[in-house]
Amino acid sequence: MRTMAQVRQALSSLSGFPEWLPAGHIVEQHFVDILRRTFELHGFSGIQTRAVEPLSELTKKGETSKEVYLLSRLQADPAESEADPRKQLGLHFDLTVPFARYVVDNAGLLTFPFKRYQIQKVWRGERPQEGRFREFIQADIDIVGDGALPLHHDVEVPLIMHEALSALPVPAVTIHVSNRKVAQGFYQSIGIDTDRLIEVLRVVDKLDKIGPEKVAAELTQSVGTTAQQAAQALRLATITGTDGQDVSDQVLRALAGAEPTELLIEGLAELTALLEATGRRRPGAVIADLKIARGLDYYTGTVYESFMAGHEDLGSVCSGGRYDSLATNGKRTFPGVGISIGLSRLLARVIGEGLVQVSRAVPTTVLVAVTDEAHRCASDAVADALRARGISADVAPSAAKFGKQIKAADKRAIPFVWFPGAEGAPDSVKDIRSGEQVEADAATWQPPTDDAAPRITVSPAADCSPADGQDGCEVDSAS
């Protein structure tokens, strides 16, 4: 078993572009495989979209603050540097914008509601720091409707993502939810005019970073709310819970006698229904947290953020929400709800903090020894027979003394060494960890299940305290 220090991987020296050593890549692939299997179990189809989109497409969703990597040819004509923005191309910075374009382009060929998952690299030109990269993998699921999308999908999406995250060897994750209609309806109810709603949401979203006093000061001094409105906004932001009716009652009490708007009532009904449904199906997985104000440019209802126990400093490990105008072709509108994991962000913490251990950094189960170069063909035949049965095998690179071949296998953490029989003698296989050596036939021998592939287990360093009603880290996960 590799130690935690051996599992930790150095990032690439080019800031913001992570690279893993083989053990780290095994962890990454294990995460991807679990996510893919979970999404497919729930009926999601996998897709890939092109890495490049027109700049006009990338910026039309209000994401102008993102630093898009533009493409240009090194030998391009200087006149092309002033190209029409509609013809400029850039690397996508998330998977939602290209997915919206994909839906419109293929609307006539898709069946709605369309359930898709996508695990793909994206590029974002922001300042690299812990958990923030310029090149990283995202894992998204979205459900898109044609004209309408029932609210039960707002329940489905976070439960699927929680199931997927719970299957990973990571500390327990809790999904926090709110509803944009609740926040907007509440602010309207207490007299904050529509022109200031977005700015109020932006300031309240800073609560965890700068604290309530600074938020209140910014609301009154910069946004122009009254002291009472600022106090009510802060009271709303502190409301949490898993009981939908209790959360709704707290919100109405925070109005301090003000009349709730229809938008607020609608939002509370949606939030209450979501909490009741998630509480029945997966207790403890989802909690209301009314300070969430993400996706100010396009989310229209439910919003999600997720936090990993003991690693709240990392921020949200996955987030998303409902967007009733995900895409349109002018005649049809395609509402959607989705949630996304910043997979590289999560992996950087898991690998960097040594939260997992990897049994070996290679897929190889058996190293077939070579008696001498004249008989290498015999070793090749054994390896081919093992591979034909799904057993990963490699052949020793040289016909050194058997002791050296065993040491070479041990250095790579390959658990078994196979010795072809000489002059008609039977073959044998040795477990180099225990020293046990037995006769074996490549047509029938099977390694123990635990040795069939690299195994990822939870490190003692990981805090796997479970959320209420949920399991903690999965232990002894096969890659």
Side-chain angles (χ1 to χ4, degrees), residues 50 138 190 205 383:
R50 64 198 186 205
Q138 278 191 206
I190 62 175
D205 198 35

Side-chain angles (χ1 to χ4, degrees), residues 377-439:
C377 59
S379 298
D380 289 336
V382 169
D384 286 342
L386 291 171
R387 293 170 190 145
R389 298 175 48 240
I391 300 170
S392 177
D394 199 0
V395 178
S398 65
K401 292 181 178 180
F402 282 161
K404 288 187 177 181
Q405 295 187 54
I406 291 172
K407 286 182 179 179
D410 184 52
K411 187 175 182 180
R412 298 172 64 194
I414 299 172
F416 297 96
V417 175
W418 192 285
F419 300 99
E423 299 180 355
D427 291 0
S428 63
V429 64
K430 181 173 185 174
D431 184 332
I432 64 174
R433 300 160 300 183
S434 67
E436 180 183 10
Q437 185 168 339
V438 297
E439 291 185 3

